[in-house]
Amino acid sequence: MVTSSVLPPLAVLAPALGALLIACTGERRRNLREFWSVAAGVAQLALVAWMIPDVLESRTPACVLIRVLPGIELGFRADAMGLLFALGASLLWIVTSFYSIGYMRVLEEHAQTRYYACFALALSATIGVAFAANLFTLFLFYEGLTLVTYPLVGHKETAEARAGARKYVIYLLGAAKVCLVAAIILTYGVSGTLEFREGGILPAGKLAEEPVLLFVIFALFLFGFAKNALVPLHSWLPAAMVAPTPVSALLHAVAVVKTGVFSTLRVFLFVFGPYAMREIGADHLALGAASVTIVVGSLLALGQQNLKARLAFSTVSQLSYILLGGALLNSSGVLGGTAHITNHAVSKITLFLCAGSIYVSTHKTEIGQMSGLARRMPWTMGAFALASLSIVGIPLTSGFVSKWNLALGTVQGHSLVLLGVLLAGSLLSAAYLGPIVYKAYFEKESPLETADTEVREVPWMVVPLSISAAASLLLGIFPGPVLELARRALP
Amino acid sequence: MSFLERMLADPVRRSRLKRWFHVGLVVVVIAEIALPLVFGGGAAHFSFENFPAWGSIYGFVSCVAIIVVSKLIGKAWLMRREDHDDS
Amino acid sequence: MTLGWIHPGLVLILGAWVLPLLRGRIKRAAMLLLPAAALVLCLASTPGTHGVVRVLGQELVLGRVDATSLVFACVFSLMACIGMVFALRVEDDSRHITALTYAGSALGVTFAGDLLTLYVFWEVMAIASTLLVWQSREPSAVAAGFRYLLVHVVGGLALLAGIVLHWSRTGSLAFEDMGAFSGGAAWSLILVAFLLNAAVPPLGAWLPDAYAEATVTGAVFMTAFTTKSAVYVLIRGFAGTELLVWLGAAMAIYGVVYAVLENDARRLLAYHIISQVGYMVCGVGIGTELAINGTTAHAFAHILYKALLFMGAGAVLQTTGLRKLSEMGGLYRTMPKTLGLYMVGAFAISAVPLFSGFVSKSMVVSAAGETHRTAVFLMLTLASAGTFLHTGLKLPYYMFFGREAHRPPDRRGREPPANMLAAMALAALACILLGVFPGLLYPHLPNPVDYAPYTLQHVTSTLGLLGFTALGFFLLLEHLDPEPTISLDTDWFYRRGAAAFVKRIQRPLARLESGTVGEIYEFVIRRPVLGAATLLRRFDSVVVDSALVGAGRSTRSLSRLLKTAASGHAQHYGLLMAAGLLALVALAMLAR
């Protein structure tokens, strides 16, 4: 049941307002500026959380702002899936804000105002995607997100950073402009509307007449949302590692990548719908692409010696778990995939925050340098170990909850091959995360290191990453809330 | 324990030990053959168990077989230099 | 959750985390009290179903207490006590936490009444035991621990897959006998997972690899829990599976063959674990009441005497730093008590009458006899001879007697500290007590016992078997000299094979990634795009130049304004965006 409510657009507006305030405050009054970041985050969280009771009782808060053409309007809608995504994003933004403060101040980075302002705008765009009621709105905010994160990726302004940011923008904008626009226009042509509806918006007649056209549209969507990092359009993700680590944490856990998979899931379930997907064989394409990405991403991760690069490829692989779940089109699969949006976000952000903490305290970036690190940075490595367990999917962690449901989904879908892909991904993630943990704890430091100056963990950074690590554990022991919301994605 | 040291260091004592060992073996064989006949021990599962002194014979044969066969397999196939796995 | 029964495993796992907060004598007391409390809880448990919880819409049973689970739980708790006595002087708290968590999760597996609980504790066991290997901190241990972890992750994944398939098919997570599903995918996967933990070849190469690298005290814990809990779950789920009879018999001989070739003392003992577990797996396969009793009794006895043997070898390692038989010898002079206690364990494992092995192993062998399996009977008896050969003769001979090689004084060894000797004495006492009074154990076995181990025939033929094995040993002594070599085992496949395989895939993948895709990006996208941009910029400046003549200044200032907009200062972008958004919203609200 749809109820009219101004809360969804307000939730989008709050961080934008925050960005404005941040830009106006500037570097002179740093503490006030940081306060605006946190305040905007809290406001956003509050606005989003306000809608929880409604959504749980199946009342969908919605709001249409502008009608451009019949069927094309700027509209917002907060359903369970969008709410789950928005909640995770809002919470993690607050955590990352504190972390950013620590990171930026210790490293005495330049252009901090630009950084915080763009960060806030990125969150605004993310919530815009989460609460988009139709493809038009989604597309607007999706593209906006790319533009707004471009200065964040290229923050360091070195030649390397500029090259990385350029690749980032070209991949994402390129894929969107080439594929997505065409897909959206074609969808409008076929169905006369761009609204998201449960079960899809494609008319049954078209399904019978022109399955090939619909398949092509689907493929355009699948690869157009390049933020979902499907192979072979995944290279923007490792290229974006030139960004400062809080940006990587945001990109790879919360905003950009999850926007990609979220949008893709929206297309699976609310534009095409399970019936249409199966009819035209789109689910096979999606399952195949996701499986390849899971395996290839993990294998590439194994070969990386740079910590952030390894985590980037790990993200490429883990994102396709979500797509795999969605493409299974059965209750357990979709439940697992949707839940993984949150569960993976919490674990991955911990890993990246730890990488940043290591860099700030020791300036180390390569895995080979990390022998014996656990003695000097116990909190950081402890959080890292816990989050790694979650990515591998050990019971009592959040990753296990998703993995269990995804496994059930593959069995419900009668595919042992997909089950095998899932489990291979687990094994490979143990293989590429294990060495980091055992090096840090059980290998002896090289003698050159021990003579080094004091290594101290930065509290501003350690507290946030401990919180997210604890969340990985808590969501694994008490998965109820996440599962409740995720369950409603496919009623 | 100086007792053990005394027993083993002295060659005379050592050969005496060996002799007692051989005596013991003979006693065991006799016991194996005679006692079940005299007192009627537990039921045997297989026919070959009733063969006199089958335990001793099988023990000796097993021991030799294990050593010989294992060494053969090892020399031919399984044994490698210690640093084999460090590539 | 029904009250009235406290899970001994949870007591150990949660209690372990209290240890770092304590100091000195109180900490030591706590270290001993925790497993003792677990043991008491086990002994005081009443049969029934306890600890039922509802999770994920399913009923989970945390406390299935019956004769089978109780006897395993009791020996696990007892082992935890002995292990903690042995490890009393270790300063590193993390080792104690890991060891107790390991023991506690083994108890969790034992009491699990459903597959999900089983899986959770199974994985906790794998992680805790990996940490026990890593904690010795040698480079070889770190590598061995990683291999151990990956192997157990594979096992865990197989178990998960099997459970998920089983649940889908039957809708129930209850952990009961799986005979009805024999041959199916779920059945096979779960069986493989159990066999892997039981170290059944070809899945068992992880055992000698890891146990020889773990810490002295850690290895003692490891010998007890992983393999015996696997035996327990095999009894529960796969009793009477014919395949297991042959796997078990083959295992018994496999362990003995590899042990002949072994040079490392603890590796040799590890191969013997495989051999002895073979008896148990075989017993599970035979499946008769006597066989299951025998398996259970043998597991009980084995935990105790194997721990004793590892404690002995560990004591030698600790006091001399030696682990290779080719380097040891002459320690009977300086470590007679260790030698004596070790020999009790050796006699127990060899099933010498009056020791625990005699009353337990023979049950399994008799069960083979009763069911008229001639080949199996002969194989198991052969393996018995082999066991005595290695553990009772070869190891002590080379470790404690053997070549009187020159040795620097400090490596001569000395008796280990009192707590280690006490732990060994406790285990030795148990081995002797069980052997002399089998009635202490028999009533607690799963099925009613109708077996008398001390028959004349049995005693005399055992003595004959052992005596003449000893004769063979002394006669062939020269051929047995340990050589400094290692033996190839099935772990070659993942040590060399898998690494080579992965490397072969990775190189072309990486080349594809940075090369092909990167090149496509470079030539198809980046260069044209930048080229077009440069062109446009040049065109733009030309236009500006020519327009200077005409509309001139206005155009110039316009282009300057545009350049500012394209300045890349994102604050401006941001402001523009925010302003735009606000304007949009304002428009919308006005337009309503």
Side-chain angles (χ1 to χ4, degrees), chain A residues 7-8 10-16 36-53 82-95 97-98 123-124 127 131 254 342 467 485:
Chain A
L7 281 175
L10 272 183
V12 176
L13 216 49
W36 292 132
S37 274
V38 177
V42 171
Q44 180 185 61
L45 181 63
L47 287 166
V48 170
W50 205 273
M51 293 188 263
I52 297 181
L83 195 70
L84 185 62
F85 181 30
L87 268 176
S90 312
L91 271 166
L92 290 175
W93 181 30
I94 301 178
V95 168
S97 295
F98 285 107
L123 260 299
S124 174
I127 304 298
F131 289 149
V254 179
T342 311
I467 292 178
L485 283 173

Side-chain angles (χ1 to χ4, degrees), chain A residues 166-167 234 302 411 438, chain C residues 142 167-168 506 513 521 526:
Chain A
R166 192 182 306 134
K167 192 170 190 178
H234 63 284
L302 269 176
V411 170
Y438 76 63
Chain C
V142 172
W167 190 16
S168 279
Q506 260 190 358
E513 168 76 12
Y521 167 73
R526 196 184 81 101

Side-chain angles (χ1 to χ4, degrees), chain A residues 184-423:
Chain A
I184 294 178
I185 293 176
L186 284 170
T187 309
Y188 185 68
V190 159
S191 51
T193 175
L194 292 175
E195 285 297 303
F196 290 136
R197 249 177 247 148
E198 282 167 18
I201 53 176
L202 301 174
K206 282 287 180 190
L207 269 177
E209 288 168 31
E210 299 180 58
V212 178
L213 173 66
L214 295 178
F215 188 85
V216 168
I217 298 177
F218 177 79
L220 287 172
F221 271 121
L222 189 65
F223 292 103
F225 285 122
K227 292 194 180 111
N228 57 29
L230 278 176
V231 165
L233 292 179
H234 63 284
S235 297
W236 63 267
L237 199 59
M241 288 298 106
V242 294
T245 308
V247 175
S248 301
L250 180 70
L251 293 183
H252 297 128
V254 179
V256 176
V257 293
K258 292 295 162 32
T259 314
V261 292
F262 178 83
S263 311
T264 318
L265 281 186
R266 273 275 190 239
V267 166
F268 285 1
L269 300 173
F270 293 86
V271 173
F272 279 76
Y275 178 69
M277 292 269 291
R278 288 204 188 97
E279 275 299 300
I280 59 176
D283 57 341
H284 292 303
L285 176 64
L287 287 171
S291 305
V292 167
T293 308
I294 291 178
V295 174
V296 168
S298 302
L299 284 174
L300 286 170
L302 269 176
Q304 301 297 322
Q305 292 309 315
N306 179 294
L307 181 57
K308 278 175 71 173
R310 188 172 284 201
L311 294 178
F313 281 104
S314 168
T315 305
V316 169
S317 169
Q318 290 286 315
L319 288 174
S320 283
Y321 275 53
I322 300 172
L323 295 178
L324 188 81
L328 281 169
L329 300 171
N330 53 44
S331 55
S332 298
V334 173
L335 179 64
T338 314
H340 204 54
I341 295 180
T342 311
N343 293 338
H344 170 255
V346 164
S347 311
K348 211 29 146 316
I349 206 178
T350 311
L351 292 177
F352 271 101
L353 295 183
C354 292
S357 169
I358 294 175
Y359 177 68
V360 166
S361 299
T362 65
H363 286 280
K364 289 188 186 170
T365 54
E366 307 301 298
I367 293 174
Q369 302 169 319
M370 296 183 183
S371 303
L373 203 54
R375 185 151 306 187
R376 295 187 181 274
M377 308 189 71
W379 288 95
T380 305
M381 290 318 297
F384 193 95
L386 190 53
S388 301
L389 288 179
S390 181
I391 298 283
V392 173
I394 302 291
L396 299 181
T397 61
S398 58
F400 174 67
V401 175
S402 334
K403 193 166 88 168
W404 170 262
N405 284 292
L406 285 171
L408 274 181
T410 60
V411 170
Q412 271 178 24
H414 305 293
S415 176
L416 284 182
V417 171
L418 290 177
L419 182 63
V421 165
L422 209 61
L423 300 180

